[in-house]
Amino acid sequence: MSEKFNQTKYINEWAKQNMATVIGKYKKEFVAEFKEACKTLGIKQSDVIRNAMIETIHKAKEKDA
């Protein structure tokens, strides 16, 4: 007899195998200012961080080329 599909378990397993976390600690005032700037600009904090990572990767690839 087969087990009922558990979507939550599937999603958690997929994330465990395919995703990673990037962590940084900064002064509270700096983080609060960043959050407020993102809110003012109407952008997600994660999008800002992702774009900075993408830009850094592109710069490194250009340097290697």
Side-chain angles (χ1 to χ4, degrees):
M1 191 170 234
S2 64
E3 201 177 307
K4 184 177 177 183
F5 179 71
N6 184 333
Q7 186 164 353
T8 302
K9 182 178 176 182
Y10 173 80
I11 290 169
N12 289 338
E13 286 297 318
W14 183 91
K16 190 180 201 182
Q17 294 173 8
N18 295 286
M19 304 296 281
T21 302
V22 177
I23 299 173
K25 285 188 176 188
Y26 304 97
K27 290 194 174 203
K28 289 181 180 183
E29 297 83 15
F30 180 66
V31 172
E33 190 174 9
F34 174 67
K35 286 181 178 183
E36 188 60 33
C38 289
K39 183 177 176 182
T40 298
L41 295 172
I43 55 179
K44 294 179 183 179
Q45 296 173 48
S46 60
D47 288 341
V48 174
I49 295 165
R50 182 182 304 106
N51 289 335
M53 292 171 72
I54 290 169
E55 183 179 330
T56 302
I57 291 165
H58 287 297
K59 284 180 182 180
K61 286 181 179 180
E62 288 174 3
K63 186 176 180 181
D64 287 343

Coordinates of all heavy atoms in Angstrom, one line a residue:
M1 N 0.8 -1.2 0.0 CA 0.0 0.0 0.0 C 0.9 1.2 0.0 O 1.8 1.4 0.8 CB -0.9 0.0 1.2 CG -2.0 1.0 1.3 SD -3.1 0.6 2.6 CE -4.6 0.6 1.7
S2 N 0.6 2.2 -0.9 CA 1.4 3.4 -1.0 C 1.0 4.5 0.0 O -0.2 4.6 0.3 CB 1.5 3.9 -2.4 OG 0.2 4.3 -2.8
E3 N 2.0 5.2 0.4 CA 1.7 6.3 1.3 C 1.1 7.5 0.6 O 1.4 7.8 -0.5 CB 3.1 6.7 1.9 CG 3.1 7.4 3.2 CD 4.5 7.7 3.7 OE1 5.3 6.8 3.8 OE2 4.7 8.9 4.0
K4 N 0.3 8.3 1.3 CA -0.3 9.5 0.7 C 0.8 10.5 0.4 O 1.7 10.7 1.3 CB -1.4 10.0 1.6 CG -2.1 11.2 1.0 CD -3.2 11.7 2.0 CE -3.9 12.9 1.4 NZ -4.9 13.4 2.2
F5 N 0.7 11.2 -0.7 CA 1.7 12.2 -1.0 C 1.7 13.3 0.0 O 0.6 13.9 0.3 CB 1.5 12.8 -2.4 CG 2.4 13.8 -2.8 CD1 3.8 13.5 -3.1 CD2 2.0 15.1 -2.9 CE1 4.7 14.5 -3.5 CE2 2.9 16.1 -3.3 CZ 4.2 15.8 -3.6
N6 N 2.8 13.7 0.5 CA 3.0 14.7 1.5 C 3.7 15.9 0.9 O 5.0 15.9 0.8 CB 3.7 14.2 2.8 CG 3.8 15.2 3.9 OD1 3.8 16.4 3.6 ND2 3.9 14.7 5.1
Q7 N 3.0 16.9 0.4 CA 3.6 18.0 -0.3 C 4.6 18.8 0.5 O 5.6 19.2 0.1 CB 2.6 18.9 -0.9 CG 3.2 20.0 -1.8 CD 2.2 20.7 -2.7 OE1 1.0 20.3 -2.8 NE2 2.7 21.7 -3.4
T8 N 4.2 19.0 1.8 CA 5.1 19.7 2.7 C 6.4 19.0 2.9 O 7.5 19.6 2.8 CB 4.4 19.9 4.1 OG1 3.2 20.6 3.9 CG2 5.3 20.7 5.0
K9 N 6.4 17.7 3.0 CA 7.6 16.9 3.2 C 8.4 17.0 1.9 O 9.7 17.2 1.9 CB 7.3 15.5 3.5 CG 8.5 14.6 3.7 CD 8.1 13.2 4.0 CE 9.3 12.3 4.2 NZ 8.9 10.9 4.4
Y10 N 7.8 16.9 0.7 CA 8.4 17.0 -0.5 C 9.1 18.3 -0.7 O 10.3 18.4 -1.1 CB 7.4 16.8 -1.7 CG 8.0 17.0 -3.1 CD1 8.8 16.0 -3.7 CD2 7.9 18.2 -3.7 CE1 9.4 16.3 -4.9 CE2 8.4 18.5 -4.9 CZ 9.2 17.5 -5.6 OH 9.7 17.7 -6.8
I11 N 8.4 19.4 -0.4 CA 9.0 20.8 -0.5 C 10.2 21.0 0.4 O 11.2 21.5 0.0 CB 7.9 21.9 -0.3 CG1 6.9 21.9 -1.4 CG2 8.6 23.2 -0.1 CD1 5.7 22.7 -1.1
N12 N 10.1 20.5 1.6 CA 11.2 20.6 2.6 C 12.4 19.8 2.2 O 13.5 20.2 2.3 CB 10.7 20.1 4.0 CG 9.8 21.1 4.6 OD1 9.7 22.3 4.3 ND2 9.0 20.7 5.6
E13 N 12.2 18.6 1.6 CA 13.3 17.8 1.1 C 14.0 18.4 -0.1 O 15.2 18.4 -0.2 CB 12.8 16.4 0.8 CG 12.5 15.5 2.0 CD 13.7 15.2 2.8 OE1 14.8 14.9 2.3 OE2 13.6 15.3 4.1
W14 N 13.1 19.0 -1.0 CA 13.7 19.6 -2.2 C 14.6 20.8 -1.7 O 15.7 21.0 -2.2 CB 12.6 20.1 -3.1 CG 13.1 20.7 -4.3 CD1 13.4 20.1 -5.5 CD2 13.5 22.1 -4.5 NE1 13.9 21.0 -6.4 CE2 14.0 22.3 -5.8 CE3 13.4 23.3 -3.7 CZ2 14.4 23.5 -6.3 CZ3 13.9 24.5 -4.2 CH2 14.4 24.6 -5.5
A15 N 14.1 21.6 -0.8 CA 14.8 22.8 -0.3 C 16.1 22.4 0.4 O 17.1 23.0 0.2 CB 13.9 23.6 0.7
K16 N 16.0 21.3 1.1 CA 17.2 20.8 1.8 C 18.3 20.4 0.8 O 19.5 20.7 1.0 CB 16.8 19.6 2.7 CG 17.9 19.1 3.6 CD 17.3 17.9 4.3 CE 18.0 17.6 5.6 NZ 17.4 16.4 6.3
Q17 N 17.9 19.8 -0.3 CA 18.9 19.4 -1.3 C 19.3 20.5 -2.3 O 20.4 20.4 -2.9 CB 18.3 18.2 -2.1 CG 18.0 17.0 -1.3 CD 17.3 15.9 -2.1 OE1 17.1 16.1 -3.3 NE2 16.9 14.9 -1.5
N18 N 18.5 21.5 -2.5 CA 18.8 22.5 -3.5 C 19.0 23.9 -3.1 O 19.4 24.8 -3.9 CB 17.6 22.5 -4.5 CG 17.5 21.2 -5.2 OD1 18.3 20.9 -6.1 ND2 16.5 20.4 -4.8
M19 N 18.8 24.2 -1.8 CA 18.9 25.6 -1.4 C 19.9 25.8 -0.3 O 20.3 24.8 0.4 CB 17.5 26.1 -0.8 CG 16.4 26.0 -1.8 SD 16.5 27.0 -3.2 CE 16.0 28.6 -2.6
A20 N 20.5 27.0 -0.2 CA 21.5 27.3 0.9 C 21.1 28.6 1.5 O 20.5 29.5 0.8 CB 22.9 27.3 0.3
T21 N 21.6 28.9 2.7 CA 21.3 30.1 3.4 C 22.6 30.9 3.4 O 23.7 30.4 3.7 CB 20.8 29.8 4.8 OG1 19.7 29.0 4.7 CG2 20.5 31.1 5.6
V22 N 22.4 32.2 3.2 CA 23.5 33.2 3.4 C 23.2 34.0 4.6 O 22.1 34.6 4.7 CB 23.7 34.1 2.1 CG1 24.8 35.1 2.3 CG2 23.9 33.2 0.9
I23 N 24.1 34.1 5.6 CA 23.9 34.8 6.8 C 24.9 35.9 7.0 O 26.1 35.7 6.8 CB 23.8 33.8 8.0 CG1 22.7 32.8 7.8 CG2 23.7 34.6 9.3 CD1 22.8 31.7 8.8
G24 N 24.5 37.0 7.5 CA 25.4 38.1 7.9 C 24.9 38.8 9.1 O 23.7 38.9 9.3
K25 N 25.8 39.3 10.0 CA 25.4 40.0 11.1 C 25.9 41.5 11.0 O 27.1 41.7 10.7 CB 25.9 39.4 12.4 CG 25.2 38.2 12.9 CD 25.7 37.8 14.2 CE 24.9 36.6 14.7 NZ 25.2 36.3 16.1
Y26 N 25.0 42.4 11.2 CA 25.3 43.8 11.1 C 24.7 44.6 12.3 O 23.8 44.1 12.9 CB 24.8 44.4 9.8 CG 25.3 43.6 8.6 CD1 24.5 42.6 8.0 CD2 26.6 43.9 8.1 CE1 25.0 41.9 6.9 CE2 27.0 43.2 7.0 CZ 26.3 42.2 6.4 OH 26.7 41.5 5.4
K27 N 25.2 45.8 12.5 CA 24.7 46.6 13.6 C 23.2 46.8 13.4 O 22.7 47.0 12.3 CB 25.4 47.9 13.8 CG 26.8 47.7 14.3 CD 27.4 49.0 14.7 CE 28.7 48.7 15.3 NZ 29.1 49.8 16.2
K28 N 22.4 46.8 14.5 CA 21.0 47.0 14.4 C 20.6 48.3 13.7 O 19.6 48.2 12.9 CB 20.4 47.0 15.8 CG 20.4 45.7 16.5 CD 19.7 45.7 17.9 CE 19.8 44.3 18.5 NZ 19.1 44.3 19.8
E29 N 21.3 49.3 13.9 CA 20.9 50.6 13.2 C 21.1 50.5 11.7 O 20.3 51.0 11.0 CB 21.8 51.7 13.8 CG 21.6 52.0 15.2 CD 22.5 51.1 16.2 OE1 23.4 50.4 15.7 OE2 22.1 51.0 17.4
F30 N 22.1 49.8 11.3 CA 22.4 49.6 9.9 C 21.3 48.8 9.2 O 20.8 49.1 8.2 CB 23.8 49.0 9.7 CG 24.2 48.7 8.3 CD1 24.4 49.8 7.4 CD2 24.3 47.4 7.8 CE1 24.8 49.5 6.1 CE2 24.7 47.2 6.5 CZ 24.9 48.2 5.6
V31 N 20.9 47.7 9.9 CA 19.8 46.8 9.4 C 18.5 47.6 9.3 O 17.8 47.5 8.3 CB 19.7 45.6 10.2 CG1 18.5 44.7 9.8 CG2 21.0 44.7 10.1
A32 N 18.2 48.4 10.4 CA 17.0 49.1 10.4 C 16.9 50.1 9.2 O 15.9 50.3 8.6 CB 16.8 49.8 11.7
E33 N 18.1 50.8 9.0 CA 18.2 51.7 7.9 C 18.0 51.0 6.5 O 17.3 51.5 5.6 CB 19.5 52.5 7.9 CG 19.6 53.6 7.0 CD 20.9 54.4 7.2 OE1 21.8 54.0 7.9 OE2 21.0 55.5 6.6
F34 N 18.6 49.9 6.4 CA 18.4 49.1 5.2 C 17.0 48.7 4.9 O 16.4 48.8 3.8 CB 19.4 47.8 5.2 CG 19.2 46.9 4.1 CD1 19.6 47.3 2.8 CD2 18.7 45.6 4.3 CE1 19.4 46.4 1.7 CE2 18.5 44.8 3.2 CZ 18.9 45.1 1.9
K35 N 16.3 48.2 6.0 CA 14.9 47.8 5.9 C 14.1 48.9 5.5 O 13.2 48.8 4.6 CB 14.4 47.2 7.2 CG 15.0 45.8 7.5 CD 14.4 45.3 8.9 CE 14.9 43.9 9.2 NZ 14.2 43.4 10.4
E36 N 14.3 50.1 6.1 CA 13.5 51.3 5.8 C 13.8 51.7 4.3 O 12.8 52.1 3.6 CB 13.8 52.4 6.8 CG 12.9 53.6 6.6 CD 11.5 53.3 6.9 OE1 11.1 52.4 7.7 OE2 10.6 54.0 6.2
A37 N 15.0 51.7 3.9 CA 15.3 52.0 2.5 C 14.6 51.1 1.5 O 14.1 51.6 0.5 CB 16.8 52.0 2.3
C38 N 14.6 49.8 1.8 CA 13.9 48.9 0.9 C 12.4 49.2 0.9 O 11.8 49.1 -0.2 CB 14.2 47.4 1.4 SG 15.8 46.9 1.1
K39 N 11.9 49.5 2.1 CA 10.4 49.8 2.2 C 10.1 51.1 1.4 O 9.2 51.1 0.6 CB 10.0 50.0 3.6 CG 8.6 50.2 3.9 CD 8.3 50.3 5.3 CE 6.8 50.7 5.6 NZ 6.5 50.8 7.0
T40 N 10.9 52.1 1.5 CA 10.8 53.3 0.8 C 10.8 53.1 -0.7 O 10.0 53.7 -1.5 CB 11.8 54.4 1.2 OG1 11.7 54.6 2.6 CG2 11.7 55.6 0.4
L41 N 11.7 52.2 -1.2 CA 11.9 52.0 -2.6 C 10.9 50.9 -3.1 O 10.9 50.7 -4.3 CB 13.4 51.5 -2.9 CG 14.4 52.6 -2.6 CD1 15.8 51.9 -2.7 CD2 14.3 53.7 -3.5
G42 N 10.2 50.3 -2.2 CA 9.3 49.3 -2.6 C 9.9 48.0 -3.2 O 9.4 47.4 -4.1
I43 N 11.1 47.6 -2.6 CA 11.8 46.4 -3.0 C 12.0 45.5 -1.9 O 12.0 45.9 -0.7 CB 13.1 46.8 -3.7 CG1 14.0 47.6 -2.8 CG2 12.9 47.5 -5.0 CD1 15.4 48.0 -3.4
K44 N 12.2 44.2 -2.2 CA 12.4 43.2 -1.2 C 13.9 43.2 -0.8 O 14.7 43.4 -1.6 CB 12.0 41.8 -1.7 CG 10.6 41.6 -1.9 CD 10.3 40.2 -2.4 CE 8.9 40.0 -2.8 NZ 8.7 38.6 -3.3
Q45 N 14.1 43.0 0.5 CA 15.5 42.9 1.0 C 16.2 41.7 0.2 O 17.4 41.9 -0.2 CB 15.5 42.6 2.5 CG 15.0 43.8 3.3 CD 14.9 43.4 4.7 OE1 15.8 42.9 5.3 NE2 13.7 43.7 5.3
S46 N 15.5 40.6 0.1 CA 16.2 39.5 -0.6 C 16.5 39.8 -2.0 O 17.5 39.3 -2.5 CB 15.2 38.2 -0.5 OG 14.0 38.5 -1.2
D47 N 15.7 40.6 -2.7 CA 16.0 41.0 -4.1 C 17.3 41.8 -4.1 O 18.1 41.6 -5.0 CB 14.9 41.7 -4.7 CG 13.7 40.9 -5.0 OD1 13.9 39.6 -5.1 OD2 12.6 41.4 -5.2
V48 N 17.5 42.7 -3.2 CA 18.7 43.5 -3.1 C 19.9 42.7 -2.9 O 20.9 42.8 -3.6 CB 18.6 44.6 -2.0 CG1 19.9 45.4 -1.9 CG2 17.5 45.6 -2.3
I49 N 19.8 41.7 -2.0 CA 20.9 40.8 -1.7 C 21.2 39.9 -2.9 O 22.4 39.7 -3.3 CB 20.7 40.0 -0.4 CG1 20.6 41.0 0.8 CG2 21.7 38.9 -0.2 CD1 20.0 40.4 2.0
R50 N 20.2 39.4 -3.5 CA 20.4 38.5 -4.7 C 21.0 39.3 -5.8 O 22.0 38.8 -6.5 CB 19.0 38.0 -5.2 CG 19.1 37.0 -6.4 CD 17.8 36.5 -6.8 NE 17.0 35.8 -5.8 CZ 15.9 36.3 -5.2 NH1 15.5 37.5 -5.5 NH2 15.3 35.6 -4.2
N51 N 20.6 40.5 -6.1 CA 21.2 41.3 -7.2 C 22.6 41.6 -6.9 O 23.5 41.6 -7.8 CB 20.4 42.6 -7.4 CG 19.0 42.3 -8.0 OD1 18.8 41.3 -8.7 ND2 18.1 43.2 -7.8
A52 N 23.0 41.9 -5.6 CA 24.4 42.1 -5.3 C 25.2 40.9 -5.5 O 26.4 41.0 -6.0 CB 24.5 42.6 -3.8
M53 N 24.7 39.7 -5.2 CA 25.4 38.5 -5.4 C 25.6 38.2 -6.9 O 26.7 37.8 -7.3 CB 24.6 37.3 -4.7 CG 24.6 37.4 -3.2 SD 23.5 36.2 -2.5 CE 24.4 34.7 -2.7
I54 N 24.5 38.4 -7.7 CA 24.6 38.2 -9.1 C 25.7 39.2 -9.7 O 26.5 38.8 -10.6 CB 23.2 38.5 -9.8 CG1 22.3 37.3 -9.4 CG2 23.4 38.6 -11.3 CD1 20.8 37.6 -9.8
E55 N 25.7 40.4 -9.3 CA 26.6 41.4 -9.8 C 28.1 41.0 -9.5 O 29.0 41.1 -10.3 CB 26.3 42.8 -9.2 CG 27.2 43.9 -9.7 CD 26.9 45.2 -9.2 OE1 25.7 45.5 -8.8 OE2 27.8 46.1 -9.0
T56 N 28.3 40.5 -8.3 CA 29.6 40.1 -7.8 C 30.1 38.9 -8.7 O 31.2 38.8 -9.1 CB 29.6 39.7 -6.3 OG1 29.1 40.8 -5.6 CG2 30.9 39.2 -5.9
I57 N 29.2 37.9 -8.9 CA 29.5 36.8 -9.8 C 29.9 37.2 -11.2 O 30.9 36.7 -11.7 CB 28.3 35.8 -9.8 CG1 28.1 35.1 -8.4 CG2 28.5 34.7 -10.9 CD1 26.8 34.4 -8.3
H58 N 29.1 38.1 -11.8 CA 29.4 38.6 -13.1 C 30.8 39.3 -13.1 O 31.6 39.1 -14.1 CB 28.3 39.6 -13.6 CG 27.1 38.9 -14.0 ND1 26.9 38.0 -15.0 CD2 25.8 39.0 -13.4 CE1 25.7 37.6 -15.1 NE2 25.0 38.2 -14.2
K59 N 31.1 40.1 -12.1 CA 32.4 40.8 -12.1 C 33.5 39.8 -12.0 O 34.5 40.0 -12.6 CB 32.4 41.8 -10.9 CG 31.6 43.0 -11.0 CD 31.7 43.9 -9.8 CE 30.9 45.2 -9.9 NZ 31.0 46.0 -8.7
A60 N 33.3 38.8 -11.2 CA 34.4 37.8 -11.1 C 34.6 37.0 -12.4 O 35.7 36.7 -12.8 CB 34.0 36.8 -10.0
K61 N 33.5 36.7 -13.1 CA 33.6 36.0 -14.4 C 34.3 36.9 -15.4 O 35.1 36.5 -16.2 CB 32.2 35.6 -14.9 CG 31.7 34.4 -14.1 CD 30.3 34.0 -14.6 CE 29.8 32.8 -13.9 NZ 28.5 32.4 -14.3
E62 N 34.0 38.2 -15.4 CA 34.6 39.2 -16.3 C 36.1 39.3 -16.0 O 36.9 39.3 -17.0 CB 34.0 40.5 -16.2 CG 32.6 40.6 -16.8 CD 31.9 42.0 -16.6 OE1 32.6 42.9 -16.0 OE2 30.8 42.1 -17.0
K63 N 36.5 39.3 -14.8 CA 37.9 39.3 -14.4 C 38.6 38.1 -14.8 O 39.8 38.2 -15.2 CB 38.0 39.5 -12.9 CG 39.4 39.7 -12.4 CD 39.4 40.0 -10.9 CE 40.9 40.2 -10.5 NZ 41.0 40.4 -9.0
D64 N 38.0 36.9 -14.7 CA 38.6 35.7 -15.2 C 38.7 35.6 -16.7 O 39.6 34.8 -17.2 CB 37.8 34.5 -14.6 CG 38.0 34.3 -13.1 OD1 38.9 34.8 -12.6 OD2 37.2 33.6 -12.5
A65 N 37.9 36.3 -17.4 CA 37.9 36.1 -18.9 C 39.0 36.9 -19.5 O 39.7 37.6 -19.1 CB 36.6 36.7 -19.4

